[in-house]
Amino acid sequence: MAIATTNAIKLQAYRAGILHFTGDPAVASDAHHWHEDGLLIVRDGRIEAAGDYAQLHPGLPAGTEVHDYRGQLIVPGFIDTHLHFPQTDIIASPAPGLLPWLQQYTFPAERRFAEPEHAAEVAEFFIDQLLRCGTTSAMVYCTVHPASADAFFSASERRNLRMAAGKVLMDRNCPEFLRDTAEGGARDTEDLIRKWHKRGRQLVAITPRFAPTSSDAQLQLAGELARAYPDTYIQTHVAENADEVAWVRQLFPTARSYLDVYDSVGLLRPRAMFGHGIWLDDADFRRMAEAQAAIAVCPTSNLFLGSGLFDFARADAAQVALSLATDVGGGTSFSMLQTMNEAFKVARMGGSALSALRMFYLATLGAARSMQLEGTIGSFAPGAEADFIVLDPQATPLLARRTARSDSLEELLFALALLGDDRSVAATYAAGRNVHQREG
Ligand code: GUN
Ligand code: ZN
């Protein structure tokens, strides 16, 4: 294949095993592309081509730099579809369940984000942590303070990352110091949309925290914003924990289900991401699929907080769009590899098996599809934004020992998913730029 020579200076090539997806491996057997000796070609921050080295290399203009990552794997950057940047400092704080954990740890920690300097400092650390784990895009909750969203978007923009984020809406059942009002919260969200949505790679999410902390009026206004700005995102929590579900039933006695509280105000639509979804029923799953909304499955959080086990088989039967998410700080790791590890075990407990290929799909193209961003992130389709990571199968002595014996791509990926973490990420690139390089 001949590569045009104009702007050759901005052409970069990367030689490694290359894996990406064009479909869901649970649905189609030819959904992944694997080039054992592959070449990824990037021009001006976008994917030009991904394929076999032997086929693509002869077409490169003479003198093109080829980064040699042989022995390692290049995959699209991971996409974490649900986590909270203000909870970075309270990761691994034990509590007897979701609601006490919110009261004891989460709300006091979020209070400090009224200070812009604190928000800015945490946002930098948080983004460093994502990048060292190979996560290049995420859907991020900020706090109720609009300045916390400004701090996050500014940090993301400086690194040219594709991120979705939103100011939390919360006007009841929370401490006074974290409370907005229905009108004030909607106004602040609209201001953020005008300022940040589609500015560079930034995307705004309308973010009612969860039904118990929003009044009817606040949910109504969130739905109105969702209609007025149909290409924005929506993110919230649903059916995470049994006590929370019982509380929602009390607060919204006429709703058919927890999901129906959101549906009835227009918050179920494409680009709506619902965290957890453990206690949804079949009608909810069907409605979710019909509305083209999506679920962020958060296994480390669900196990840590004792929330329950996500039912992959039932969600798949309804053909709901799924992705994986850390839910930091309820989640116990920033690593999507560790998240796959726990997802595998959760599926096992429910009597189903997740292949490693499926888990890598869910953390890349599956998430991009859930966000209606296929062709933009999550794969190496020509023209996609060049967010990719280099995974090292020899990152630790144990990984090296195990992967030396793996005799298929599935086994190699499975070892990386079960045994890997930030140490397995040798390098992270965003829009073609190196944004993290592992030491050593
Ligand atoms: N439900 C409402 N808020 C939160 C939160 O911050 N974390 C989790 N895991 N669930 C929630
Ligand atoms: Zn959450």
Side-chain angles (χ1 to χ4, degrees), residues 169-189:
L169 297 167
M170 179 153 72
D171 69 346
R172 66 166 174 169
N173 292 324
C174 64
E176 185 72 43
F177 56 78
L178 284 181
R179 210 169 288 178
D180 60 7
T181 61
E183 292 75 20
R187 206 179 320 112
D188 289 343
T189 300

Side-chain angles (χ1 to χ4, degrees), residues 208-219:
R209 180 175 210 117
F210 67 157
T213 48
S214 284
S215 62
D216 285 313
Q218 181 159 71
L219 292 172

Side-chain angles (χ1 to χ4, degrees), residues 392-407 411-412 415-416 419:
D392 179 4
Q394 301 188 324
T396 66
L398 182 62
L399 247 183
R401 200 172 167 96
R402 178 63 189 88
T403 56
R405 295 171 65 93
S406 60
D407 52 16
E411 275 200 16
L412 175 62
L416 278 165
L419 304 174

Side-chain angles (χ1 to χ4, degrees), residues 82 84 237 276 327:
H82 178 125
H84 303 253
H237 298 80
H276 308 288
D327 192 28

Side-chain angles (χ1 to χ4, degrees), residues 238-254:
V238 73
E240 173 179 2
N241 161 285
D243 294 338
E244 167 216 21
V245 173
W247 192 18
V248 170
R249 203 172 296 126
Q250 269 181 11
L251 291 170
F252 301 91
T254 61

Side-chain angles (χ1 to χ4, degrees), residues 3 7-14 39-50 60 64 380 384-388 429 431-433:
I3 309 288
N7 290 332
I9 190 80
K10 291 185 178 162
L11 207 58
Q12 300 279 330
Y14 302 85
L39 194 68
L40 184 71
I41 304 173
V42 175
R43 181 192 297 277
D44 286 338
R46 289 184 182 271
I47 303 296
E48 175 116 342
L60 282 181
T64 305
F380 298 143
E385 297 167 352
D387 295 347
F388 60 94
Y429 291 80
R433 264 186 346 106

